[in-house]
Amino acid sequence: MLVHRWKEPLVLGDSRIRIVVSSPEEALTWLIHEPDQSTAKWKRAWNACRAVIEGRMKAEDAKPVVKLAAAH
């Protein structure tokens, strides 16, 4: 599988946990483990990452969408 790396990885989490995500493919792995997958921001992030993998979106364009999904 081709991996679409971001120039700078996202660092997600809070004071208890730190998660480093460096590609849309890794973001999908993180998203699949999120407890609330019914939110609009989760769905937008999922769809953006899928679009990158399918060649319909640039990887850097999906990064802010994933960052927004991580904001609680």
Side-chain angles (χ1 to χ4, degrees), residues 3-62:
V3 176
H4 305 86
R5 295 273 177 218
W6 290 321
K7 292 177 185 175
E8 294 290 326
L10 283 174
V11 179
L12 312 174
D14 54 24
S15 61
R16 298 173 297 147
I17 189 168
R18 181 176 177 210
I19 301 168
V20 179
V21 180
S22 60
S23 71
E25 292 83 358
E26 289 179 6
L28 285 176
T29 301
W30 169 73
L31 286 164
I32 200 71
H33 290 93
E34 277 294 290
D36 191 2
Q37 299 178 3
S38 62
T39 64
K41 62 183 182 178
W42 184 94
K43 291 175 185 176
R44 282 192 298 269
W46 182 268
N47 290 333
C49 290
R50 293 295 312 156
V52 172
I53 293 168
E54 293 167 3
R56 298 181 286 116
M57 180 185 275
K58 293 180 181 178
E60 290 298 326
D61 293 340

